[in-house]
Amino acid sequence: MLVVMNAQATPEQIQAVEARIRELGYEPHPIPGPSRTAVGITGNAGTEGRDSLRLMPGVEDVIRVTVPYKLVSRETKQEPTVIDVNGVRIGEGGVTMIAGPCSVENEEMILETAHFLRDVGVRLMRGGAYKPRTSPYAFQGLGIEGLRLLAKAREETGVGIVTEVLDVETVDVVADMADVLQVGTRNMQNYSLLRRLSRIRKPILLKRGMAATLDEWLMAAEYLAAGGNRNVILCERGVRTFADHTRNTLDLSVIPVVKHISHLPVIADPSHGTGKADFVPAMSKAAVAAGADGLIIEVHPQPARAMSDGAQSLNFDAFRQMSDELQPIASAVNRRIN
Ligand code: PEP
Ligand code: MN
């Protein structure tokens, strides 16, 4: 349920509604809007207490939210959520570019990449310090040392850092350093991790599970919001299908659907979506045309020497060229790359 306060409701009236919701045994989630505040209610399967809330001073209406992902749905909040990462505003109508290597491999390559990105106007850099690898024998990431190198790259260039958090044990160290914490496709339904991340303040980039339906993905986002972290950026990175011409099938049709039913920003990852550098530019353009709020692209100074995901990583020249080609596509859909 959602309690919609009237435009004149005082802070005291809102607090009284929150207290009453708690008294009824539920959790209140105040959602300030441009003209009025609403208070979302979770933990409430039925309509018990609805009438008592409706009669309280300052209450305009009490509405039933029909979808199970209460807090992330447009039924609860119509205005798009804008996520501010060091001044980069994701979801405000622009196309936010996040780029960088799959993994942080050494100081030289991460600094070189950060300087390159800064020079071409990209303000957020990705790079994994903790890597979820299919094989236990593959490069697992530099861990703490990788985080230290990312911090150095930020210090030198000012780029914000997006990096993956693999498990509950490393949430604190990753959250201390990162500007955005990435939850990978394999962890989308790791509920203990999501619950832990719901209690931090930093934004979460929540990748879609490779076999997750839209409902499952939004329910994962709901875990974050329900625990108190509403700074969630969704990321479509391709799903498993019978098609084997690309690494995954980048489900671009999910982008307009997500935007229709959720207020959260959604970005696309054509690198993992295609698995092949040659096809990343075309799918990046398609994602922008489909309404993505941003792109996350793997870029490496020497893709052939990358320790992970080299085949899908663009070199600097290819990234520069793709960025140029994206501009007219963004303009055509009234967006700017930022
Ligand atoms: C990554 O971003 O390098 C990564 C491991 O992504 P995903 O979880 O989408 O496979
Ligand atoms: Mn990767």
Side-chain angles (χ1 to χ4, degrees):
M1 287 201 300
L2 181 71
V3 180
V4 182
M5 305 301 295
N6 64 37
Q8 292 77 40
T10 63
E12 292 74 26
Q13 289 172 338
I14 297 169
Q15 278 159 20
V17 165
E18 289 178 43
R20 178 70 185 128
I21 292 169
R22 279 198 200 92
E23 200 175 63
L24 289 165
Y26 308 124
E27 187 66 34
H29 302 268
I31 303 159
S35 60
R36 63 183 71 203
T37 290
V39 184
I41 306 176
T42 56
N44 185 3
T47 53
E48 201 190 321
R50 183 171 168 158
D51 288 342
S52 74
L53 288 167
R54 198 190 294 280
L55 296 172
M56 291 184 73
V59 172
E60 175 86 28
D61 202 0
V62 179
I63 301 168
R64 211 172 96 76
V65 177
T66 57
V67 289
Y69 30 88
K70 310 285 177 200
L71 299 176
V72 304
S73 89
R74 287 238 189 223
E75 287 185 35
T76 297
K77 177 173 177 274
Q78 263 150 36
E79 310 80 48
T81 288
V82 177
I83 295 178
D84 193 301
V85 186
N86 298 347
V88 181
R89 294 177 62 79
I90 303 173
E92 205 172 38
V95 178
T96 302
M97 185 65 85
I98 304 169
C102 180
S103 311
V104 182
E105 297 168 5
N106 57 56
E107 177 161 338
E108 194 190 350
M109 64 78 77
I110 202 67
L111 293 183
E112 189 183 348
T113 306
H115 281 278
F116 164 73
L117 293 174
R118 198 232 4 233
D119 292 348
V120 295
V122 173
R123 293 185 290 164
L124 297 177
M125 179 169 77
R126 59 150 293 146
Y130 294 94
K131 294 302 302 176
R133 304 305 302 280
T134 302
S135 164
Y137 308 120
F139 175 58
Q140 306 285 312
L142 298 179
I144 296 272
E145 172 63 5
L147 294 178
R148 193 187 67 76
L149 296 177
L150 287 167
K152 183 161 187 193
R154 176 175 54 199
E155 210 175 283
E156 277 196 13
T157 63
V159 292
I161 301 295
V162 180
T163 195
E164 180 157 356
V165 59
L166 265 194
D167 48 38
V168 171
E169 290 75 27
T170 49
V171 166
D172 288 332
V173 279
V174 177
D176 263 356
M177 186 273 140
D179 297 296
V180 176
L181 284 78
Q182 174 176 321
V183 173
T185 192
R186 296 159 184 84
N187 263 326
M188 189 206 82
Q189 285 180 313
N190 180 341
Y191 299 120
S192 47
L193 180 62
L194 296 176
R195 253 189 243 106
R196 179 71 185 79
L197 291 171
S198 76
R199 299 198 297 271
I200 68 170
R201 290 284 145 251
K202 297 258 172 96
I204 309 295
L205 179 73
L206 180 65
K207 289 202 168 191
R208 179 182 179 184
M210 62 182 87
T213 63
L214 176 52
D215 276 18
E216 289 164 342
W217 190 16
L218 292 176
M219 288 310 284
E222 186 78 6
Y223 264 85
L224 296 166
N229 191 348
R230 298 190 207 155
N231 291 319
V232 181
I233 305 153
L234 299 167
C235 176
E236 162 59 33
R237 51 77 72 199
V239 291
R240 276 285 165 84
T241 67
F242 55 83
D244 57 4
H245 55 280
T246 47
R247 182 177 178 186
N248 292 288
T249 297
L250 190 64
D251 179 14
L252 291 182
S253 69
V254 86
I255 288 173
V257 184
V258 167
K259 295 205 73 72
H260 183 68
I261 63 181
S262 173
H263 52 82
L264 296 176
V266 57
I267 71 169
D269 175 351
S271 304
H272 293 86
T274 61
K276 292 175 188 162
D278 284 352
F279 309 129
V280 169
M283 295 314 287
S284 297
K285 291 175 210 166
V288 169
D293 294 300
L295 295 169
I296 181 165
I297 307 286
E298 286 188 340
V299 176
H300 192 286
Q302 288 176 284
R305 300 180 68 101
M307 296 172 83
S308 61
D309 286 350
Q312 66 195 32
S313 299
L314 300 182
N315 63 26
F316 292 172
D317 282 344
F319 181 79
R320 213 182 276 111
Q321 187 181 339
M322 184 187 85
S323 300
D324 290 346
E325 290 171 10
L326 276 171
Q327 298 289 349
I329 308 290
S331 311
V333 291
N334 289 322
R335 284 169 164 244
R336 282 175 51 123
I337 314 259
N338 64 28

